[in-house]
Amino acid sequence: VIRSLLRPGGWLYVGVWGGNGREGPTEGDRHVPARFFSFRTDEQLNRFASQHFTVVDFHVINPASMPFQSLTLRRPG
């Protein structure tokens, strides 16, 4: 859906918390209703992004603790 909103050649920045590929509610989360999290590995996120965009830049900030994955993407065309 986001891809269709961008002009051909349009840029998109995505920043998400990464992880070990786990998804689902987090143990100890007291939020009602329970929240759903997807902590994608670097490989998973890059594979998905490259199916729909050109990955211009990908880097991880603070990889030793909870990694923050930063992507700069461009819509082909």
Side-chain angles (χ1 to χ4, degrees), residues 5-67:
L5 297 174
L6 290 175
R7 294 181 189 174
W11 294 79
L12 173 66
Y13 172 80
V14 176
V16 294
W17 295 108
N20 58 3
R22 185 182 62 77
E23 65 178 25
T26 300
E27 186 177 323
D29 183 14
R30 296 183 302 222
H31 193 272
V32 176
R35 297 176 289 176
F36 186 90
F37 293 93
S38 295
F39 297 105
R40 304 289 182 221
T41 65
D42 296 347
E43 295 77 21
Q44 288 172 325
L45 189 58
N46 268 299
R47 187 172 52 249
F48 178 76
S50 65
Q51 290 175 2
H52 304 283
F53 298 95
T54 300
V55 178
V56 178
D57 178 64
F58 173 82
H59 63 276
V60 179
I61 300 169
N62 202 15
S65 62
M66 187 168 192

Side-chain angles (χ1 to χ4, degrees), residues 3 8-9 54 75-77:
R3 184 179 188 274
T54 300
R75 179 180 169 183

